[in-house]
């Protein structure tokens, strides 16, 4: 049951093999059974999930069900959910019951997907290991001593352990692709502007983009379809038509031109990871693709530019968290200044404070040109590298991360080495391109993801490229054995 | 580049973050390292490059001037730390 | 030493949209606290701004009104600072690329000439909420109804050299935004607010002196007072060997002084950067031309037309067009009565005196333009004299009805029946023989005495011309 595709689940729901309430209960039971080990959820929404499942069952009975009706899912705790705590992994919002729905939540509610709960994450999406959460570290289902990646580590661990069929995530510098890679699942971050940011708690506005985790490209296609589209509440969302992400999944890859950036295979890349990527490329050759070496010469500038742009934007975005209208307020402030200083000082974690300070400094009088403006210029250079590459190739491939999942605590005292784990993903956000991680095998007994980078609004093409690979490989079907046993017989489940 | 603890404290004040002396020392180290990393940008001459603020070259959409919001004060203030007579309360603001 | 003053003004005009600049909340004045603050205005996590087209249109209108280019590419920036009435922790404003670029406006000077004042820029931004300082157990209350209200900040060049010029400029801008129907100009409700940058320098010196920014000067009277007080303060400091500090100062009308607001200055570093939630605002030629096509007649054009059509002097025309409601009022009276000069005298004379006395705006004058037309018609058709008209005006002001009904009720109609006047004259001549002798002996001045007696007997209603003529005839007989 937990290894079925969304299409299979939908077929079963329609045929009456089990109800949405039963299916939802099945996953709630799995969460109950396994999440104490993983800590992937901040809030489990038992009651709401079952109520939504009941409504879905009514729709199914009435014949008005869509492709996703009744299939449960999980949301990263960065998407505001009306009436439910939405914490962004921070003490600051531990008491924040969102009074409205994010557009993504609204859309998936309309699609009829019961929400199992809100998943753990690095505080305000700042981190690559999920060690920066007020709610504790998330563990990698493949090895509980290792990180699942971040910042959407809770969602990735959830799907990897099959505690939910799919989950949403957000990606500002790799926060969908890197955890997908480290947990062996499929994750897609669409083009900037494809998915509305309204109600998605902002980290860095010009880089943040919502996306989805699933066990296959075809599952991701279905959910991304339901999440995407222009939103009049988000000025930066795109009016470009969404198209049909599932329609072209079966297209042949004959003649596909794959670009391999030489900068993505230089020193720093783990040899085991490199081997997995090479094998995946070989598989694509068999599918009829042509391999072309390309260069993205400004790759090394992506992390420096990102660590100006993202902190600058976050330093301003997080200013609204002031303990006045909602959120944490310190006790007995002696005056207004003390109220601000302590409410923010006590509620934000170390990494969040660090990035706020980096951004505050980079924007301050006398430094703006040297840092912020400079970074925005570098950003154009990076973007132009990609555009030049797409003149000759259809898709760019490479590793998602230089290493497999690292040990908890291994990098937590060394911000810079943590930042460097996003070296292959960050440039994609600076350019606003769609990116994906596809399970490609294992190194050191840990999953390795293959990164796909497409041109603007070519999500359908990327999903097709990933799906064709998944037709001839079974890496995406691998799951950590410790989570394989289903204790509960779904037919006996229920309210 | 190296940021002194004094500079760190100034930044923390600007950002309204209470930090201890010990933390100021730690941030002074890590911020200095980060700005060293960032300094790699200086190797590139960008004088002829236009800054890129947004991934796509699109312009601002304009909304019709219509009132669409209704009064939800009760719902919004249910999550507020302190309110009275419909107002949010904060420590006294001195002019 | 002789001193020279340099003044620049920053005016914040609240735009008359229905909804806020970046959200769908109402901007209506006077609602219960925080009932007009939605998720966007409260800056809840995850919310995003979307720009109101009407605010853009109004800003463009203003640009056309001051002969300024309307920028085809303007950018919103964030001005970052912490304050409880600023929910986002930053104000969305415009910095490098404002929507309206350099324009100008001409102000009248006391000697009858005009001076051109440069308007550096005008940009769109959001207003903050309100802090209520009355005691809530030692706390301050925050009302965010006003947060997100669209403002147009109008920044002048430092072209003004006296408090009087600053007031004249402020009045001109005040009139213009109302002509354009983009701001209601209500200064009590804070829809039109002014800050002044003031500095002094020795006459002839080229570089500017250190300036102080005066806040909270929200009436024409206060602007003049505050600036004059500040000029005197700065000159005092320099003459005593000190130097002026660049700072923000608050005008206190009760104590008649300006005082430093050091708290506002502390750690100010606004860290402006382009707002990543908003995209560049691109305005097409068609958009601007469509606005131009609906532009109302502006003060300068109307003034010229009043001079041409109504033969007003330059001075009278300037006054009559100094505000849109006044010019509309005058135009109805002048056209309706066909007596442009008489209309101007009444509007600038009795009407404006009465409005002043009762502290009323022309828009809520108890005597409508139509009523004044009715009265002036009765003067020009000799139903009443100019003198009686003052009584009619008085009665109308008190709400006793229109001119015709007042004249009727009070019997103020002029007596033009020569028989009736002759009877009165005969009686007066009979009772004042001594004065008749004086007249007849050549003392013509005494005629005034007889006119006065007749007017008294007729209670002012006799036609003075007629009385004069009949008296001469009778006295000479
Ligand atoms: Mg200003
Ligand atoms: Zn302003």
């Amino acid at each position: 049951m937990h290894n079925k595709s969304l299409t299979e689940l939908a077929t079963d729901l329609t045929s009456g093999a089990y109800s949405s309430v039963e299916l939802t209960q099945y996953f709630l039971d799995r969460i109950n059974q396994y999440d104490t080990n993983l800590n992937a959820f901040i809030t489990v929404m038992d009651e709401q999930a079952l109520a939504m499942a009941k409504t879905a069952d009514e729709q199914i009975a009435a014949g008005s069900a869509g492709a996703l009706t009744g299939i449960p899912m999980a949301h990263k705790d960065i998407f505001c959910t009306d009436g439910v705590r939405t914490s962004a992994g921070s003490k600051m919002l531990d008491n924040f019951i969102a009074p409205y729905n994010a557009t993504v939540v609204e859309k998936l509610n309309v699609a009829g997907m019961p929400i199992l709960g809100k998943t753990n994450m690095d505080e305000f999406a700042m981190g690559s290991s999920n060690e920066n959460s007020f709610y504790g570290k998330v563990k990698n289902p493949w090895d509980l001593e290792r990180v699942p990646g971040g910042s959407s580590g809770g969602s990735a661990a959830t799907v990897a352990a099959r505690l939910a069929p799919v989950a949403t995530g957000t990606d500002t510098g790799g926060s969908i692709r890197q955890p997908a890679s480290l947990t062996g699942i499929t994750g897609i971050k669409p083009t900037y502007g494809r998915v509305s940011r309204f109600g998605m708690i902002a980290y860095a506005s010009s880089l943040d983009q919502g996306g989805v985790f699933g066990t296959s490209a075809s599952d991701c296609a279905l959910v991304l379809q339901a999440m995407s589209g222009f939103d009049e509440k988000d000025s930066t969302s795109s009016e470009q038509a969404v198209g049909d992400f599932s329609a072209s999944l079966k297209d042949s890859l004959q003649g596909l031109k794959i670009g391999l950036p030489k900068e993505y295979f230089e020193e720093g890349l783990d040899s085991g990871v490199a081997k997995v990527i090479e094998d995946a490329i070989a598989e694509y050759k068999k599918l009829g693709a042509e391999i072309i070496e390309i260069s993205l010469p400004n790759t090394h500038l992506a992390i420096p530019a990102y660590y100006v742009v993202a902190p600058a934007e976050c330093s301003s975005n997080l200013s609204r968290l002031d303990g006045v209208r909602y959120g944490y307020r310190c006790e007995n402030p002696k005056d207004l200044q003390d109220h601000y200083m302590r409410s923010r000082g006590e509620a934000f974690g170390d990494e969040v404070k660090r990035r706020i300070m980096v951004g505050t400094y980079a924007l301050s009088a006398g430094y703006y040109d040297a840092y912020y403006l400079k970074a925005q210029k570098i950003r154009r250079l990076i973007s132009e590298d990609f555009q030049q590459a797409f003149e000759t190739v259809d898709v760019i491939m490479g590793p998602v991360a230089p290493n497999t999942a690292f040990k908890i605590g291994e990098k937590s005292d060394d911000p810079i080495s943590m930042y460097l784990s996003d070296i292959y993903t960050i440039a994609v956000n600076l350019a606003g391109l769609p990116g994906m991680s596809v399970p490609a095998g294992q190194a050191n007994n840990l999953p390795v993801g293959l990164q796909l980078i497409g041109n603007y609004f070519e999500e359908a093409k990327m999903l097709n490229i990933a799906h064709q690979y998944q037709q001839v490989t079974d890496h995406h079907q691998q799951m950590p054995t410790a989570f394989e046993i289903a204790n509960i017989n779904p037919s006996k489940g229920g309210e | 580049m190296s940021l002194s603890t004094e500079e760190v404290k100034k930044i923390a004040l600007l950002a309204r973050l209470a930090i201890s002396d010990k933390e100021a020392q730690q941030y002074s180290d890590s911020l200095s390292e980060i700005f060293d990393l960032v300094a790699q940008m200086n190797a590139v001459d960008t004088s002829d490059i236009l800054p890129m603020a947004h991934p796509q070259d699109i312009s601002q959409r304009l909304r019709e001037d219509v009132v669409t919001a209704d009064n939800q004060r009760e719902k919004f203030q249910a999550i507020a730390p302190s309110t009275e007579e419909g107002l949010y309360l904060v420590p006294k603001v001195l002019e | 030493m002789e001193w020279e003053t340099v003044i620049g003004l920053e005016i914040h005009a609240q735009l008359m949209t229905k909804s806020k600049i970046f959200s769908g909340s109402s901007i209506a004045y006077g609602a219960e606290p925080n009932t007009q603050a939605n998720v966007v205005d409260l800056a809840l996590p995850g919310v995003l701004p979307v720009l109101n087209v009407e605010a853009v249109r109004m800003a463009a209108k203003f640009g056309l009104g001051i002969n300024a280019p309307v920028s085809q590419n303007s950018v919103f920036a964030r001005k970052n600072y912490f304050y409880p009435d600023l929910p986002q922790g930053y104000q969305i404003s415009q910095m490098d690329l404002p929507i309206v670029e350099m324009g100008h406006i001409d102000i009248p000077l006391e000697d009858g000439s005009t001076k051109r004042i440069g308007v550096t820029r005008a940009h769109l931004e959001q207003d903050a909420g309100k802090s209520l300082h009355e005691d809530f157990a030692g706390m301050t209350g925050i009302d965010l109804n006003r947060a997100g209200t669209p403002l147009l900040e109008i920044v002048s060049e430092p072209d003004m050299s006296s408090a009087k010029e600053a007031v004249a400029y402020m009045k001109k801008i005040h009139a213009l935004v109302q002509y354009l129907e983009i701001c209601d100009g209500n200064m009590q409700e804070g829809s039109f607010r002014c800050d002044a940058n003031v500095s002094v320098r020795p006459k002839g010196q080229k570089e500017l002196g250190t300036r102080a920014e005066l806040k909270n000067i929200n009436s024409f009277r206060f602007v003049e007072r505050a600036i004059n007080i500040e000029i005197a303060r700065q000159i005092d400091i320099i003459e005593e060997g000190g130097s002026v500090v660049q700072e923000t100062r608050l005008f206190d009308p009760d104590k008649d002084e300006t005082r430093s607001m050091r708290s506002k200055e502390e750690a100010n570093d606004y860290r402006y950067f382009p707002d990543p939630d908003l995209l560049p605002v691109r305005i097409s030629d068609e958009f601007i031309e469509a606005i131009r096509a609906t532009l109302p007649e502006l003060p300068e054009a109307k003034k010229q037309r009043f001079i041409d059509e109504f033969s007003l002097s330059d001075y009278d025309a300037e006054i009559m067009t100094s505000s849109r409601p006044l010019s509309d009022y005058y135009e109805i009276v002048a056209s309706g009565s066909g007596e442009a000069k008489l209309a101007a005298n009444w509007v600038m004379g009795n009407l404006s005196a009465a409005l002043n006395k009762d502290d009323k705006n022309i828009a809520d004058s108890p005597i409508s333009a139509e009523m004044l037309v009715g009265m002036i018609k009765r003067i020009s058709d000799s139903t009443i004299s100019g003198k009686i008209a003052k009584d009619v005006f008085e009665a109308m002001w008190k709400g006793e009805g229109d001119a015709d009904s007042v004249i009727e009720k009070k019997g103020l109609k002029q007596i033009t029946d020569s028989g009736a006047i002759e009877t009165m004259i005969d009686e007066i001549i009979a009772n004042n023989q001594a004065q008749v002798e004086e007249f007849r002996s050549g003392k013509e001045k005494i005629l005034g005495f007889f006119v006065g007696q007749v007017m008294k007997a007729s209670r002012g209603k006799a036609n003075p011309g007629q009385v004069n003529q009949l008296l001469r005839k009778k006295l000479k007989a």
Side-chain angles (χ1 to χ4, degrees):
Chain A
M1 167 117 27
H2 53 261
N3 275 317
K4 287 193 172 183
S5 72
L6 298 191
T7 311
E8 288 164 342
L9 292 173
T11 307
D12 289 353
L13 288 169
T14 317
S15 72
Y18 41 83
S19 68
S20 171
V21 167
E22 286 166 330
L23 182 64
T24 301
Q25 187 63 55
Y26 173 80
F27 281 105
L28 288 170
D29 289 341
R30 281 185 66 79
I31 293 168
N32 193 32
Q33 183 183 353
Y34 290 117
D35 196 46
T36 38
N37 297 334
L38 289 180
N39 196 30
F41 281 85
I42 290 174
T43 306
V44 180
M45 293 164 53
D46 306 70
E47 270 178 48
Q48 291 102 321
L50 292 169
M52 290 173 88
K54 206 169 160 222
T55 306
D57 281 330
E58 285 159 16
Q59 285 171 341
I60 292 164
S64 61
L68 298 169
T69 306
I71 300 172
M73 53 83 61
H75 278 299
K76 183 176 183 179
D77 205 23
I78 201 168
F79 290 100
C80 284
T81 316
D82 197 354
V84 177
R85 172 176 59 190
T86 301
S87 73
S90 182
K91 179 179 179 181
M92 179 59 91
L93 293 177
D94 182 45
N95 60 3
F96 177 66
I97 310 297
Y100 76 106
N101 273 332
T103 297
V104 161
V105 171
E106 198 65 52
K107 278 178 173 263
L108 293 183
N109 283 354
V110 168
M113 303 187 83
I115 306 170
L116 297 165
K118 310 289 297 288
T119 62
N120 206 343
M121 56 183 284
D122 280 306
E123 185 179 4
F124 289 105
M126 299 179 201
S128 310
S129 68
N130 233 302
E131 292 165 288
N132 304 330
S133 168
F134 174 62
Y135 301 92
K137 303 168 175 63
V138 178
K139 319 256 168 60
N140 192 320
W142 292 90
D143 178 348
L144 297 179
E145 304 207 324
R146 290 177 187 272
V147 304
S151 64
S152 314
S155 282
T158 294
V159 174
R162 309 304 196 252
L163 306 188
V166 285
T168 54
T170 61
D171 189 318
T172 305
S175 286
I176 288 176
R177 290 159 289 156
Q178 184 252 17
S181 173
L182 269 47
T183 60
I185 57 171
T186 306
I188 181 164
K189 172 207 105 72
T191 309
Y192 181 85
R194 178 86 294 173
V195 167
S196 169
R197 292 189 298 115
F198 185 79
M200 192 176 105
I201 298 177
Y203 159 25
S205 309
S206 76
L207 304 167
D208 295 343
Q209 185 59 204
V212 64
F213 295 97
T215 53
S216 69
S218 56
D219 282 2
C220 287
L222 285 171
V223 179
L224 187 63
Q225 186 84 48
M227 288 168 71
S228 295
F230 169 69
D231 180 7
E232 58 181 20
K233 293 178 189 151
D234 176 0
S235 299
T236 63
S237 77
S238 173
E239 295 188 51
Q240 187 132 344
V242 173
D244 186 340
F245 296 151
S246 300
S248 52
L249 288 174
K250 297 197 173 80
D251 289 0
S252 157
L253 300 188
Q254 198 63 48
L256 180 80
K257 294 197 178 89
I258 298 173
L260 298 184
K262 65 177 166 61
E263 293 80 5
Y264 285 30
F265 296 90
E266 287 168 358
E267 57 165 300
L269 179 62
D270 176 88
S271 59
V273 173
K275 173 77 172 62
V276 172
I277 302 302
E278 280 156 25
D279 291 348
I281 300 300
E283 202 65 50
Y284 272 104
K285 266 194 208 158
K286 284 195 227 156
L287 288 166
E290 182 189 338
I291 310 300
I292 299 165
E293 184 178 291
I294 58 166
S295 173
L296 300 170
N298 292 295
T299 297
H300 65 290
L301 296 174
I303 287 180
Y306 176 90
Y307 279 98
V308 171
V309 174
E313 292 182 2
C314 96
S315 72
S316 177
N317 283 335
L318 269 56
S319 290
R320 66 190 55 201
L321 300 158
D322 60 4
V324 174
R325 301 162 311 285
Y326 52 83
Y328 179 83
R329 175 181 285 201
C330 69
E331 286 200 22
N332 304 319
K334 67 173 197 286
D335 55 25
L336 183 64
Q337 183 80 335
D338 189 44
H339 159 98
Y340 280 133
M341 300 287 289
R342 284 205 290 121
S343 296
R344 291 166 56 80
E346 290 167 13
F348 288 137
D350 181 54
E351 183 61 24
V352 170
K353 282 191 258 195
R354 181 170 13 259
R355 294 196 196 185
I356 289 175
M357 286 195 277
V358 169
T360 300
Y361 184 74
L363 289 174
S364 62
Y367 298 102
Y368 177 84
D369 286 8
Y371 292 119
Y372 191 75
L373 202 63
K374 182 90 184 178
Q376 296 286 41
K377 290 176 169 188
I378 299 283
R379 197 170 174 181
R380 186 170 299 280
L381 291 177
I382 286 166
S383 172
E384 282 168 358
D385 281 356
F386 282 114
Q387 285 317 300
Q388 210 176 341
F390 285 122
E391 280 173 19
T392 50
V393 303
D394 298 306
V395 67
I396 293 168
M397 288 189 190
V400 172
N403 298 96
T404 49
F406 46 90
K407 282 254 169 74
I408 290 170
E410 191 182 323
K411 298 186 181 185
S412 51
D413 292 333
D414 185 358
I416 301 284
S417 85
M418 186 77 84
Y419 297 172
L420 292 175
S421 63
D422 290 331
I423 188 152
Y424 306 129
T425 48
I426 271 180
V428 172
N429 298 79
L430 290 169
L433 295 166
M436 220 178 150
S437 177
V438 181
Q442 292 199 341
N444 328 312
N445 297 317
L446 290 164
V448 172
L450 168 74
Q451 183 170 212
L452 273 52
I453 302 167
N455 208 345
Y456 297 117
F457 301 106
E458 293 196 340
E459 288 81 10
K461 191 194 230 174
M462 290 166 62
L463 288 159
N464 161 232
I465 293 166
H467 180 73
Q468 286 305 302
Y469 176 77
Q470 292 180 340
Q471 294 305 101
V472 296
T473 57
D474 65 356
H475 308 299
H476 63 292
Q477 285 165 349
Q478 306 306 313
M479 70 169 283
T481 47
F483 297 86
E484 254 165 10
I485 317 120
N487 271 353
I488 315 294
N489 180 344
S491 59
K492 286 180 190 154
E495 290 160 281
Chain B
M1 177 180 154
S2 150
L3 278 173
S4 68
T5 52
E6 285 317 302
E7 285 172 295
V8 166
K9 282 182 181 168
K10 248 177 72 188
I11 300 167
L13 174 64
L14 204 49
R16 299 294 187 274
L17 296 169
I19 55 168
S20 66
D21 288 349
K22 192 177 153 228
E23 285 173 309
Q25 185 53 56
Q26 286 162 352
Y27 286 126
S28 145
D29 294 343
S30 62
L31 262 62
S32 300
E33 274 184 59
I34 292 168
F35 281 103
D36 280 340
L37 175 77
V38 161
Q40 290 175 26
M41 296 195 302
N42 299 337
V44 190
D45 176 12
T46 50
S47 43
D48 298 332
I49 316 290
L50 278 174
M52 179 173 134
H54 285 281
Q56 271 120 46
D57 185 30
I58 50 174
S59 56
Q60 178 61 33
R61 204 179 64 83
L62 301 173
R63 170 179 71 78
E64 284 308 307
D65 181 24
V66 187
V67 174
T68 52
D70 49 359
N71 173 20
Q72 295 189 66
R73 186 173 78 181
E74 218 173 301
K75 184 175 186 181
F76 296 149
Q77 296 200 338
I79 52 168
S82 176
T83 60
E84 197 175 311
E85 292 171 31
L87 298 162
Y88 293 97
L89 295 189
V90 295
K92 198 136 197 81
V93 175
L94 301 168
E95 277 294 325
Chain C
M1 187 179 306
E2 262 205 272
W3 296 94
E4 194 172 66
T5 306
V6 178
I7 303 164
L9 296 188
E10 286 175 20
I11 291 170
H12 284 91
Q14 180 183 316
L15 298 175
M16 290 162 64
T17 53
K18 296 189 196 73
S19 63
K20 293 188 178 176
I21 183 165
F22 297 120
S23 89
S25 296
S26 169
I27 65 163
Y29 183 81
E32 281 288 298
N34 292 308
T35 55
Q36 289 176 175
N38 76 353
V39 292
V40 174
D41 311 316
L42 293 174
L44 291 182
V47 298
L48 297 168
V50 185
L51 182 58
N52 184 339
V53 67
E54 204 52 40
V56 174
R57 214 172 265 145
M58 288 177 172
K61 238 179 172 182
F62 181 78
L64 297 176
I66 56 161
N67 296 299
V70 177
S71 173
Q72 309 237 338
N73 183 36
S74 68
V75 167
F76 282 97
R78 293 184 182 177
K79 178 182 183 180
N80 294 284
Y81 65 96
F82 288 89
Y83 207 72
D85 64 15
L86 187 72
Q88 295 157 151
Y90 54 85
Q91 180 196 32
I92 305 177
S93 181
Q94 296 188 304
M95 184 61 177
D96 287 338
L97 296 167
I99 185 157
V100 175
E101 294 165 300
M102 179 71 96
H104 56 79
I105 197 160
D106 293 339
I107 61 166
L109 298 183
E110 283 185 310
D111 66 3
S113 64
T114 60
K115 179 173 176 180
R116 178 153 290 188
I117 306 294
V119 180
T120 319
R121 57 185 280 158
H123 65 252
L124 285 168
E125 61 185 25
Q126 51 180 187
D127 206 347
K130 276 184 187 154
S131 300
L132 296 136
H133 301 291
E134 59 258 34
D135 216 34
F136 293 97
M139 308 277 274
T140 291
I142 306 292
D143 175 10
L144 298 172
N145 281 349
R146 202 181 63 184
T149 296
L151 298 177
L152 188 67
E153 180 175 333
I154 303 157
V155 182
S156 83
E157 290 286 285
D159 284 349
M160 287 150 281
S161 47
S162 72
K164 281 216 154 56
E165 285 183 19
V167 171
Y169 166 81
M170 192 175 162
K171 283 187 170 165
K172 271 286 185 180
I173 297 288
H174 188 246
L176 179 63
V177 294
Q178 290 179 80
Y179 266 94
L180 293 168
E181 294 175 316
I182 62 174
C183 173
D184 67 15
N186 189 327
M187 291 160 90
Q188 271 91 47
E189 291 176 8
S191 310
F192 191 85
R193 319 199 282 263
C194 180
D195 303 334
N197 289 306
V198 179
S199 66
V200 297
R201 62 182 167 193
K203 205 172 177 121
Q205 178 183 303
K206 263 211 133 163
E207 63 268 30
L208 293 169
T210 306
R211 66 184 158 86
E213 186 176 4
L214 304 180
K215 295 249 176 218
N216 192 30
I217 38 181
N218 296 327
S219 79
F220 297 123
R221 207 154 47 92
F222 287 175
V223 166
E224 187 164 350
R225 288 238 309 269
I227 291 175
N228 281 329
I229 288 166
E230 180 60 19
I231 293 169
R233 189 189 70 91
Q234 291 187 11
I235 291 174
D236 275 358
I237 290 174
I238 301 168
E239 285 183 342
E240 282 163 23
S243 50
V244 175
V245 183
Q246 182 166 340
E247 62 182 352
T248 303
R249 298 182 70 83
L250 190 72
F251 174 60
D252 183 339
D254 297 328
K255 294 189 184 146
D256 222 17
E257 62 176 27
T258 67
R259 64 167 186 271
S260 180
M261 292 173 75
R262 264 179 224 102
S263 57
K264 271 232 155 180
E265 301 291 296
E266 172 198 24
N268 258 0
D269 184 340
Y270 293 127
R271 291 160 284 138
Y272 278 98
F273 74 109
D275 190 328
D277 290 332
L278 290 159
L279 299 155
V281 182
R282 305 233 164 87
I283 298 181
S284 65
D285 290 336
E286 297 80 68
F287 186 88
I288 293 169
E289 288 319 308
I291 293 167
R292 200 191 300 278
T294 61
L295 223 50
E297 185 183 29
L298 296 181
E300 291 309 308
K302 187 170 272 190
K303 177 179 164 186
Q304 195 51 52
R305 186 166 61 79
F306 280 10
I307 292 170
D308 298 342
E309 253 174 53
F310 301 134
S311 308
L312 291 189
S313 68
D314 194 90
Y315 178 81
D316 287 357
E318 175 69 39
I319 290 181
M320 285 310 177
T321 54
S322 64
S323 88
R324 173 117 180 227
L326 177 63
S327 70
D328 288 345
Y329 189 102
Y330 171 70
E331 186 155 12
I332 294 170
V333 179
S335 311
S337 67
E339 299 275 356
K341 183 63 197 162
L342 206 49
N345 289 345
W346 276 96
V347 172
M348 284 192 293
N350 297 52
L351 180 67
S352 91
L355 288 170
N356 257 334
K357 195 168 143 268
D358 287 7
D359 202 17
K360 279 192 156 77
N361 289 317
I362 192 142
D364 33 64
S365 164
I367 300 178
S368 69
E370 288 72 19
M371 285 165 79
L372 198 58
V373 168
M375 191 197 84
I376 291 174
K377 275 186 175 162
R378 293 300 155 257
I379 300 173
S380 56
D381 70 8
S382 296
T383 303
I384 52 172
S385 65
K387 195 153 177 270
I388 288 289
K390 292 196 169 103
D391 300 333
V392 175
F393 183 91
E394 195 70 24
M396 291 198 298
W397 186 265
K398 286 184 190 143
E400 294 172 23
D402 65 7
D404 283 341
S405 67
V406 168
I407 292 168
E408 177 67 39
K409 255 189 291 183
K410 301 202 163 185
L412 299 176
K413 199 165 189 244
Q414 265 192 145
I415 300 166
T416 49
D417 169 5
S418 54
I421 297 174
E422 277 182 66
T423 310
M424 281 187 265
I425 291 177
D426 287 344
E427 205 186 321
I428 287 162
I429 286 179
N431 293 335
N432 297 282
Q433 276 305 313
Q435 285 83 351
V436 174
E437 287 311 312
E438 275 186 58
F439 181 83
R440 287 183 178 155
S441 67
K443 205 177 169 191
E444 290 242 344
K445 267 183 165 173
I446 202 82
L447 186 68
F449 164 77
F450 287 102
V451 174
Q453 291 295 310
V454 178
M455 295 310 285
K456 198 174 158 193
S458 71
R459 287 187 288 126
K461 289 183 290 180
N463 181 313
Q466 225 174 344
V467 170
N468 234 295
Q469 191 201 345
L470 287 170
L471 266 173
R472 281 182 186 278
K473 199 176 89 188
K474 294 249 177 196
L475 286 168
K476 282 187 177 150

